[in-house]
Amino acid sequence: MIDAIVTLLVVAKILALVLGSIVALLAYRAYLRTKIDGLQYFAVGLSIITVGTVLVGIFHHLMGLRSVVGMLIESLIISVGFVVVIVGLYGR
């Protein structure tokens, strides 16, 4: 049962990486077309959130990071990503 859950978690993390990367890429392409600075920050913020979420999973499984520490790091990374998105949406 545990192996099935771990497999589903890996699939979910890969799916989040792919989908988050697509959204970040679309935001960056929109920035290149429009030159609206906010879209650049939006793309960077989404990239931070996407990559950070996957890295925490890697740290947990490959480096033995405790789950609670992983959740703390993931929450901090996501918060940083959201701050970048907010700065992009509301200006510097």
Side-chain angles (χ1 to χ4, degrees):
M1 181 67 177
I2 298 283
D3 289 337
I5 292 172
V6 170
T7 301
L8 286 174
L9 179 60
V10 169
V11 169
K13 291 285 185 180
I14 291 170
L15 184 62
L17 177 65
V18 169
L19 295 174
S21 297
I22 289 169
V23 174
L25 179 64
L26 292 173
Y28 185 70
R29 283 182 170 174
Y31 161 73
L32 291 177
R33 277 193 319 273
T34 64
K35 299 298 183 201
I36 298 171
D37 286 335
L39 290 173
Q40 187 177 22
Y41 283 92
F42 188 70
V44 169
L46 286 175
S47 297
I48 290 170
I49 293 167
T50 300
V51 172
T53 303
V54 173
L55 283 179
V56 170
I58 291 171
F59 290 155
H60 173 69
H61 286 287
L62 297 182
M63 301 171 82
L65 190 68
R66 288 184 22 211
S67 294
V68 68
V69 174
M71 286 187 276
L72 172 63
I73 293 170
E74 182 177 30
S75 296
L76 291 172
I77 291 170
I78 289 171
S79 295
V80 168
F82 281 133
V83 166
V84 173
V85 169
I86 290 169
V87 167
L89 293 174
Y90 289 105
R92 294 173 256 158

